[in-house]
Amino acid sequence: MRAILVLYLVDKVQSEGGHGLGWTGAEAISLYGTFTGLVFLTPLIGGWLADTYLGQRRAIMIGGALMAIGQFTLAAPHSWMPGSEIIFFYIGLGILILGNGLFKPNISTMVGDLYEQGDHRRDGAFTIFYMGINVGAALAGFVVAWAYTSFGQTVVFEGKEIFVNNWQAGFFCAGVGMIFSLIIQYFFAQKLLGDIGRYPAAKLEKDKAAATGQVRKKPLTAIERDRIKVIMVMGLFTIIFWAGFEQAGGLLNLFTNEFTDRSIGSFIVPTTWFQSLNAMFIVIFAPVIASIWIRLGKNEPNSPVKFALGLVLLGIGFLFMMGAVLEMGGNPDAKSSMWWLVGAYFFHTMGELCLSPIGLSMVTKLAPVRIASLMMGTWFLFIAAANKIGGIIGSFIGHDGPREEQLANAMSIFAGIAITSAISGVVLYFMADKLVSWMHGAEGDHAHTEEEALEEEMAVTADHEGIKHS
């Protein structure tokens, strides 16, 4: 979706037999932000449903099936629905959004469930998990480029031959991919994961309480509330990161298409291939980053410091995009080197590896087990806000105004994001010690399980009561 959604929306040749919708760049980027925002909003509901009723594994199967249906709806040719293309487009996006809400938070929570509390391998494991996801993401850009070009057609318009891309073929490939994922999950989940994710977390918590005679619903303890505060504060900084990072599928995608020299000799690199750069860098460097965290051992930076580093690296990436604009010298007919984009995506990916898998791991460390999927959904809620904000920021490039104006606006956007992310990284670095203290041992040399943290709190409370009575 990231690779082709905006390109499909701005394709202006649908009236000549093409397959796009003919929107302006600003409209497409705004819709992209709304769509990706909702994609990260519905996991809040999906996490709650999995915790309370479905269990993570069942939620993943239902969500994956809905996502496949959504992709196949988008893949329906316009000739099947003359005059109703926009209605079917929104129906397809809506089904995708609902399916993703059930799918996304529960996959991540199940990874966390593979490790005991306090296991130092968890951050590295989430990085490897992240690498696995991006193997598919790296292939996607190439697969959809093959699909929409191979199934495209040449049409004659005003005496000229025009090649029309078949975007629906790309959506169809995504639907087939989801079907494969469902088959893999169905046949291998039990063998490889055992009972992880089979039963709702709330039911497991209730059964455990009943077995110990503690059937009363437990309120959040003071330590749990502090740990949730850390998730909330870190969530605010993750908004800043993703609002900049997600320009990749919107503003950077259009910049690649319109203002970048994509030629290597006589070969023109498809725009969507650049969307695979991020995923390729993750596949290559995720094991390196994971091994660095593990090798550092006791000297491993805490989660807030890793987040701060990620924000600074994001800012460096946008310095490369500023360089691309400066190379053009204000001439919109000039083309910037594609190597600026490669540099930007590289530093954005390094920032992502310092922040995104670490954030997922942090949530599983800090969230109370009985609401783990719900808190993962809350984490994705921050990313939802970031995507919508990112769409608004990207749309400032202008509604198909003069190309000179669009270029100047792009420069302002790149510079603004670079400055904001760098300052945010510095602020977070100086907040790190306080945030770690609120984690109450969830990170550090003596990481605490929930039970140990509860025992610690009870001991502190008893001490306070003793002092008060004495």
Side-chain angles (χ1 to χ4, degrees):
M1 293 297 294
R2 179 202 201 109
I4 63 174
L5 180 59
V6 168
L7 300 178
Y8 167 65
L9 291 173
V10 300
D11 192 337
K12 291 180 169 54
V13 295
Q14 80 281 3
S15 58
E16 290 86 50
H19 300 268
L21 293 180
W23 292 16
T24 68
E27 290 171 339
I29 293 173
S30 180
L31 185 278
Y32 177 83
T34 300
F35 167 71
T36 52
L38 290 172
V39 157
F40 285 100
L41 175 63
T42 50
L44 183 65
I45 302 170
W48 175 78
L49 286 172
D51 280 341
T52 311
Y53 299 108
L54 298 175
Q56 294 153 357
R57 190 115 32 109
R58 188 179 295 117
I60 287 167
M61 294 297 292
I62 297 171
L66 287 173
M67 291 171 75
I69 293 169
Q71 295 285 9
F72 288 134
T73 303
L74 292 173
H78 288 183
S79 59
W80 291 8
M81 58 197 91
S84 301
E85 297 91 347
I86 297 293
I87 294 174
F88 273 81
F89 172 70
Y90 281 123
I91 290 173
L93 288 188
I95 296 172
L96 265 172
I97 289 165
L98 292 174
N100 189 77
L102 288 166
F103 191 96
K104 197 170 191 71
N106 298 304
I107 284 282
S108 301
T109 306
M110 284 172 65
V111 175
D113 289 343
L114 291 169
Y115 293 85
E116 297 293 336
Q117 290 288 334
D119 193 325
H120 283 285
R121 297 174 299 169
R122 188 183 297 228
D123 280 5
F126 266 95
T127 304
I128 300 301
F129 165 64
Y130 215 67
M131 182 186 72
I133 293 171
N134 281 277
V135 171
L139 292 173
F142 299 112
V143 171
V144 297
W146 165 81
Y148 70 68
T149 53
S150 297
F151 293 94
Q153 60 183 329
T154 300
V155 299
V156 177
F157 178 68
E158 296 182 349
K160 295 182 180 179
E161 287 190 349
I162 301 174
F163 184 80
V164 179
N165 292 313
N166 189 334
W167 305 110
Q168 279 73 26
F171 296 128
F172 181 83
C173 287
V176 172
M178 287 308 305
I179 294 296
F180 276 123
S181 78
L182 289 170
I183 294 172
I184 291 169
Q185 182 76 8
Y186 181 80
F187 284 105
F188 292 100
Q190 187 62 35
K191 176 182 178 181
L192 298 177
L193 301 177
D195 287 338
I196 289 176
R198 285 192 65 188
Y199 306 106
K203 179 181 182 299
L204 294 175
E205 186 79 11
K206 183 178 179 181
D207 291 346
K208 181 180 177 182
T212 58
Q214 300 173 346
V215 295
R216 183 175 60 88
K217 187 175 181 181
K218 294 188 296 183
L220 291 174
T221 68
I223 286 178
E224 288 174 334
R225 289 196 296 271
D226 276 351
R227 288 177 170 180
I228 290 173
K229 278 195 295 186
V230 176
I231 295 175
M232 297 297 108
V233 172
M234 298 286 275
L236 297 177
F237 285 95
T238 207
I239 288 176
I240 297 170
F241 180 86
W242 289 112
F245 183 91
E246 285 300 336
Q247 299 303 319
L251 179 58
L252 294 189
N253 212 7
L254 289 184
F255 189 91
T256 304
N257 204 46
E258 299 293 331
F259 298 113
T260 301
D261 180 7
R262 294 180 283 114
S263 58
I264 301 177
S266 59
F267 176 69
I268 304 298
V269 179
T271 301
T272 59
W273 282 21
F274 289 88
Q275 292 298 300
S276 292
L277 281 174
N278 167 249
M280 290 170 61
F281 285 141
I282 286 177
V283 172
I284 294 169
F285 291 103
V288 177
I289 299 297
S291 66
I292 289 173
W293 300 148
I294 293 172
R295 287 177 181 274
L296 284 173
K298 294 181 179 181
N299 297 318
E300 179 185 359
N302 55 51
S303 294
V305 171
K306 291 177 182 176
F307 266 57
L309 179 59
L311 284 161
V312 171
L313 289 170
L314 177 75
I316 293 173
F318 276 102
L319 291 179
F320 278 78
M321 294 311 303
M322 294 168 65
V325 177
L326 290 172
E327 182 186 9
M328 297 172 66
N331 178 11
D333 295 323
K335 297 287 186 180
S336 66
S337 168
M338 69 177 75
W339 293 107
W340 292 111
L341 276 166
V342 174
Y345 280 123
F346 172 78
F347 280 99
H348 289 179
T349 302
M350 293 303 102
E352 182 184 6
L353 286 172
C354 289
L355 183 142
S356 186
I358 305 307
L360 297 175
S361 176
M362 182 194 70
V363 172
T364 64
K365 291 175 188 174
L366 300 178
V369 172
R370 61 191 179 279
I371 55 170
S373 292
L374 179 62
M375 290 309 302
M376 188 63 74
T378 303
W379 184 252
F380 287 129
L381 186 62
F382 287 110
I383 304 177
N387 276 271
K388 181 54 185 174
I389 293 169
I392 294 171
I393 293 170
S395 68
F396 289 155
I397 193 173
H399 288 269
D400 282 4
R403 286 168 59 84
E404 294 86 351
E405 180 183 329
Q406 291 186 44
L407 200 57
N409 290 342
M411 182 63 166
S412 299
I413 294 169
F414 296 151
I417 296 174
I419 294 169
T420 303
S421 58
I423 292 175
S424 300
V426 173
V427 171
L428 180 55
Y429 177 81
F430 286 106
M431 293 176 61
D433 288 344
K434 181 62 178 176
L435 291 171
V436 170
S437 72
W438 282 348
M439 294 182 186
H440 293 284
E443 288 193 357
D445 296 337
H446 304 287
H448 295 179
T449 65
E450 279 194 51
E451 290 78 9
E452 291 169 339
L454 182 58
E455 289 175 6
E456 175 191 310
E457 182 173 354
M458 291 172 65
V460 171
T461 302
D463 288 344
H464 287 171
E465 289 293 320
I467 291 171
K468 183 171 67 175
H469 287 301
S470 63

